[in-house]
Amino acid sequence: MGRRGQEEAHGVDREPLITVRDVAFSRDGRAIFHDLDLTVMPGRVTVVMGGSGAGKTTLLSLIGGRLVPDAGEIRVAGENVPALSRRQLFALRRRMGMLFQSSALLTDLDVYENVAFPMREHTRLPERLIRDLVLMKLELVGLRGARRLYPAELSGGMARRVALARAIALDPLMVMYDEPFTGLDPISMGVIVKLIRDLNDALGMTSIIVTHDVAEACSIADDIYLLDNGRVSAHGTPAEMQKTTEPAVRQFMAGLPDGPVAFHYPARDYLADLQSAGHA
Amino acid sequence: MQTKGTELAVGLFIVAGLLALTMLALKVGHFHVLGRGQTYQVTADFGNIGSLKPRAPVTAAGVRVGEVRHIALNPRSYRAVVTLRLLKRYRFPRDSSAAIDTAGLLGEQYVSLSPGGSRRYLKNGGKIRVTQSAIILEQVISQLLYKKAGHG
Amino acid sequence: MNPLAGIGGAVGALGRRALAGIARLGRATLFIARLVPSLGGAWKRARLIVQQLYMTGVLTFVIILVSGAFVGMILALQGYNTLVRYDAQSSLGLLVALALTRELGPVLTALLFAGRAGSALTAEIGLMKATEQLAGMEMMAVDPLLRVVAPRFWAGWIAVPLLAMIFTAVGIIGAYVVAVAVLGLDGGVFWSQMQAGVSVTNDVIGGLIKSVVFGFVISWIAVFEGYDAKPTSEGVSRATTRTVVSSSLAVLGLDFIMTAFMLRGL
Ligand SMILES: Nc1ncnc2c1ncn2[C@@H]1O[C@H](COP(=O)(O)OP(=O)(O)OP(=O)(O)O)[C@@H](O)[C@H]1O
Ligand SMILES: [Mg+2]
């Protein structure tokens, strides 16, 4: 697995698909990123890991242009995302697929129509062709038989697979997956892992996966980035990451509660908090 | 998608709305005195207009021929100056008279015109000279009572 | 706590609420300014508007029909009760028709619509926001303003005047039925008195104008509140309540202003 990626890692002269340079971003006055640097090479599966609240979803929103950084540069396929007009941004997004943490399926449309949605919005394909394409995408995720169900009638895992079929409906350059593995049973998990890998290799897409599942990340990734404290604390291939001696990386990869990575959201002293009763 | 049924229902809904509007326009209300093109204005002075209001009807022989446009008080004569808008297709002799009548005992007040015999007609901006003020019910009653007292 | 601090706190809270209200008004204005350019484009996808007309108009139809009939019948009974003292029953049709065309038709329809369809619009858009459906559309390069908000806005705006005309017409028919069947009045007099006194240009068109304005304002408030809702279940439920409260108040306030202008003959 990832052999193709390994080869390309050594073929140096390919342009990166995404570059994030010195990005700073804060929300409600709280810094979420500072000096964030990250590169995604085309055709590879890049995994971004980090604890809950580390800003993984935020990073995907920045790349997708839904949020604008306070400073720094974000380039996708050569375009400077924060500087794009709405029209240019929409043109770029047609080449991006995104799988939301919550699937984000349109609840008033059934499975079939959800997958057909991007095609109907962006193309003038005849109905027959749309039907063939939708069934093909649904077949890929194994849900061709569920095409007349509504999102409310799907399990979480099924919904995620439908969302995946929708994300690849227009054969995008790249797909961003926000926590594709959470809440899946082991079989669905295996299916999704394989699916992402296959889509990446077979369709030549680039994948960015955000997750905190170490085992899955290692099994699928070509490159891993570890986010901590608003910046990239480590990156490398899965093998490099597992061999590293750096304590923060070791802590995360081994899932140890104590170590340099803070488990707690920043707060004042616990004892002081307990003593100052009445002031929440 | 159940588009066919939806479209049909929406179509019927719109038709129902337009039918309702048509009914309101044709059966419930009347079109009346419209733009300046179809009307001309004349004034009439009254000693007392009672409770006459702008937009009250103007009739001749019971037929509606216009409406009250404007009411003001002449600051010198202290008489009420009533501006009437009349339909162009109705012309009235210059010596016509205007009276303020009441529809029913307590109904709306309106202006009724009685044509005179002149060969010359009222023109835009003209004035009706012969007028009869509103009959104030209270005054009539008190006069009646007074007369009765005088007889008895 | 000392009493001054308490008063200060209360005044502060009042100020905060006022500021929040002004900020909301500002956001609503910006929102409609952003929405306006999408409004024309929405007609290229008229099917979406038709679908929303079904949700807002057709599903409110029955409520409007029933309420209109009842209001007309009640007006007939009450009006008769008063008019008969002055021996003016013949004006019953006129009384009912004026009340319905000028005021009750547009206003009651607007209030019912705000409660039935306006709140549903807000809840729907708010939930789409809370479940990231709007964000998902944005990421699929689909503008939610064009795809989701504009068709709903149009549908609401179109539905209200149509419903108001239906309400008024049904109300008058209801009053007629009561007048003739229950009160024993003459049907011909009912209609002729009404027709003599109700002016299409002033009363019917005036009511129509009112309902067009109400439709615009309710739809605006409803889609704005949904789009502006906090993306949580609590946020959506609060937004829904706000839609009903603000649009009802807006309708009554605007009705007063418009009535004042119309009676002055402007
Ligand atoms: N809409 C928002 N407004 C304000 N702060 C936010 C908002 N969304 C996220 N945050 C903050 O930004 C930080 C990063 O959030 P983000 O959702 O990117 O985390 P995450 O890494 O995706 O976490 P998880 O693994 O739990 O999904 C969090 O600390 C959160 O408090
Ligand atoms: Mg997240």
Side-chain angles (χ1 to χ4, degrees):
Chain A
M1 202 183 288
R3 205 166 304 120
R4 207 172 66 105
Q6 298 286 343
E7 282 155 22
E8 275 175 11
H10 301 295
V12 195
D13 46 301
R14 290 196 67 177
E15 286 276 302
L17 181 66
I18 302 174
T19 43
V20 175
R21 283 279 157 271
D22 302 329
V23 161
F25 180 74
S26 57
R27 234 169 175 163
D28 305 336
R30 208 162 55 79
I32 292 175
F33 295 127
H34 54 92
D35 304 327
L36 184 71
D37 282 297
L38 186 143
T39 310
V40 175
M41 298 304 287
R44 294 169 70 91
V45 176
T46 303
V47 171
V48 178
M49 289 205 284
S52 217
K56 304 181 297 293
T57 302
T58 309
L59 175 63
L60 294 187
S61 298
L62 284 165
I63 294 174
R66 294 213 308 121
L67 296 173
V68 178
D70 303 333
E73 189 184 71
I74 298 172
R75 290 194 165 273
V76 176
E79 315 250 27
N80 185 8
V81 176
L84 293 181
S85 72
R86 196 170 166 79
R87 183 180 300 254
Q88 293 167 317
L89 189 61
F90 271 30
L92 180 62
R93 281 181 186 163
R94 287 183 202 194
R95 298 188 283 157
M96 297 179 175
M98 170 134 185
L99 187 69
F100 277 81
Q101 211 163 344
S102 61
S103 297
L105 293 177
L106 301 174
T107 43
D108 57 340
L109 302 179
D110 63 12
V111 165
Y112 180 95
E113 287 298 326
N114 260 289
V115 179
F117 181 81
M119 305 177 191
R120 294 198 199 285
E121 289 293 324
H122 294 310
T123 68
R124 297 233 167 276
L125 296 178
E127 197 54 34
R128 281 214 28 232
L129 195 52
I130 288 187
R131 186 185 141 85
D132 290 350
L133 285 171
V134 170
L135 293 186
M136 188 177 95
K137 306 290 175 191
L138 282 175
E139 176 69 24
L140 271 179
V141 298
L143 288 176
R144 196 163 41 83
R147 61 176 177 267
R148 287 304 161 208
L149 296 183
Y150 278 82
E153 301 163 324
L154 301 174
S155 74
M158 288 161 86
R160 183 124 357 118
R161 277 144 72 193
V162 175
L164 180 51
R166 186 179 68 173
I168 58 170
L170 294 177
D171 297 325
L173 272 181
M174 54 178 272
V175 182
M176 297 188 274
Y177 302 88
D178 195 352
E179 315 258 7
F181 310 126
T182 35
L184 294 185
D185 65 84
I187 298 173
S188 312
M189 175 105 83
V191 170
I192 292 260
V193 169
K194 187 166 159 11
L195 203 57
I196 293 176
R197 188 75 239 180
D198 288 351
L199 285 172
N200 193 84
D201 296 347
L203 302 179
M205 285 190 301
T206 305
S207 312
I208 302 150
I209 302 172
V210 148
T211 182
H212 38 223
D213 286 307
V214 179
E216 274 64 38
C218 288
S219 73
I220 198 174
D222 295 322
D223 298 306
I224 294 180
Y225 281 83
L226 189 57
L227 287 186
D228 183 33
N229 258 324
R231 52 188 305 168
V232 174
S233 62
H235 79 103
T237 62
E240 287 166 0
M241 294 294 274
Q242 271 163 333
K243 273 190 305 217
T244 186
T245 51
E246 204 174 311
V249 182
R250 288 203 61 75
Q251 185 205 344
F252 195 89
M253 301 300 280
L256 304 173
D258 276 313
V261 178
F263 162 68
H264 293 284
Y265 191 95
R268 57 189 173 140
D269 186 60
Y270 187 37
L271 191 62
D273 235 0
L274 288 176
Q275 280 168 346
S276 62
H279 295 270
Chain B
M1 273 184 271
Q2 25 27 333
T3 23
K4 273 284 163 304
T6 310
E7 278 166 16
L8 186 68
V10 170
L12 288 177
F13 166 60
I14 292 175
V15 167
L18 295 179
L19 274 180
L21 181 59
T22 314
M23 169 187 149
L24 295 182
L26 298 183
K27 189 107 175 87
V28 171
H30 60 266
F31 286 95
H32 71 114
V33 202
L34 299 165
R36 288 178 194 287
Q38 300 135 293
T39 60
Y40 63 102
Q41 295 196 354
V42 299
T43 58
D45 288 5
F46 292 93
N48 190 331
I49 58 163
S51 61
L52 189 72
K53 297 267 161 34
R55 276 200 248 128
V58 178
T59 65
V63 178
R64 198 179 168 107
V65 296
E67 67 170 7
V68 172
R69 174 78 184 128
H70 184 73
I71 297 172
L73 185 69
N74 182 329
R76 260 178 276 136
S77 66
Y78 295 103
R79 287 169 67 82
V81 182
V82 176
T83 309
L84 309 177
R85 259 213 296 202
L86 304 177
L87 280 172
K88 268 200 177 139
R89 66 185 129 104
Y90 299 120
R91 296 193 303 165
F92 290 92
R94 282 177 60 159
D95 56 348
S96 300
S97 64
I100 296 176
D101 287 346
T102 308
L105 196 56
L106 289 162
E108 208 186 353
Q109 286 192 306
Y110 63 97
V111 177
S112 77
L113 299 180
S114 316
S118 169
R119 289 280 177 87
R120 295 166 63 195
Y121 292 96
L122 283 168
K123 286 209 272 302
N124 191 28
K127 184 167 179 179
I128 297 174
R129 303 201 178 273
V130 189
T131 63
Q132 186 194 328
S133 288
I135 296 167
I136 310 293
L137 203 61
E138 291 86 338
Q139 290 177 0
V140 177
I141 292 169
S142 65
Q143 271 172 13
L144 267 175
L145 291 177
Y146 179 75
K147 271 189 194 148
K148 238 190 174 170
H151 284 298
Chain C
M1 225 199 278
N2 86 50
L4 267 182
I7 294 169
V11 172
L14 198 68
R16 254 196 311 286
R17 291 196 67 163
L19 284 180
I22 293 168
R24 170 172 305 281
L25 207 63
R27 285 204 303 282
T29 311
L30 287 178
F31 175 77
I32 193 93
R34 274 179 56 203
L35 180 60
V36 164
S38 312
L39 288 182
W43 283 102
K44 280 189 219 141
R45 310 280 299 278
R47 259 188 51 218
L48 293 175
I49 299 180
V50 169
Q51 222 170 334
Q52 290 308 318
L53 263 173
Y54 183 80
M55 304 300 290
T56 50
V58 177
L59 297 183
T60 319
F61 187 76
V62 175
I63 300 179
I64 292 295
L65 226 52
V66 174
S67 322
F70 273 114
V71 168
M73 296 193 301
I74 294 164
L75 275 180
L77 290 177
Q78 289 281 9
Y80 178 81
N81 206 13
T82 307
L83 289 175
V84 77
R85 292 187 216 167
Y86 304 100
D87 202 19
Q89 314 80 304
S90 58
S91 301
L92 183 62
L94 176 60
L95 176 90
V96 170
L98 282 183
L100 280 169
T101 51
R102 285 183 186 170
E103 289 295 332
L104 295 177
V107 171
L108 290 181
T109 302
L111 295 179
L112 288 168
F113 185 85
R116 170 70 174 78
S119 58
L121 276 183
T122 303
E124 202 189 359
I125 295 177
L127 273 175
M128 290 183 86
K129 185 179 182 185
T131 53
E132 294 192 301
Q133 295 183 52
L134 298 185
M137 281 192 190
E138 287 228 0
M139 286 306 296
M140 287 187 278
V142 174
D143 185 356
L145 283 181
L146 188 64
R147 180 65 173 68
V148 173
V149 176
R152 286 171 171 76
F153 179 81
W154 272 121
W157 194 8
I158 295 170
V160 172
L162 289 172
L163 290 169
M165 293 305 111
I166 293 170
F167 186 104
T168 306
V170 169
I172 290 172
I173 293 171
Y176 171 78
V177 169
V178 167
V180 174
V182 179
L183 303 172
L185 298 184
D186 180 70
V189 172
F190 182 92
W191 287 113
S192 64
Q193 283 274 329
M194 175 163 77
Q195 217 175 11
V198 177
S199 143
V200 172
T201 41
N202 291 317
D203 303 321
V204 177
I205 303 286
L208 187 62
I209 290 173
K210 279 184 178 179
S211 63
V212 169
V213 172
F214 295 157
F216 179 90
V217 170
I218 296 172
S219 306
W220 174 18
I221 292 176
V223 296
F224 166 72
E225 287 292 355
Y227 205 75
D228 193 59
K230 275 224 189 80
T232 60
S233 20
E234 196 220 358
V236 174
S237 90
R238 275 167 176 267
T240 308
T241 311
R242 266 203 307 270
T243 290
V244 177
V245 174
S246 333
S247 44
S248 304
L249 291 179
V251 162
L252 294 173
L254 284 170
D255 183 50
F256 174 74
I257 294 171
M258 285 192 285
T259 304
F261 271 97
M262 285 175 183
L263 287 186
R264 278 175 55 196
L266 290 175

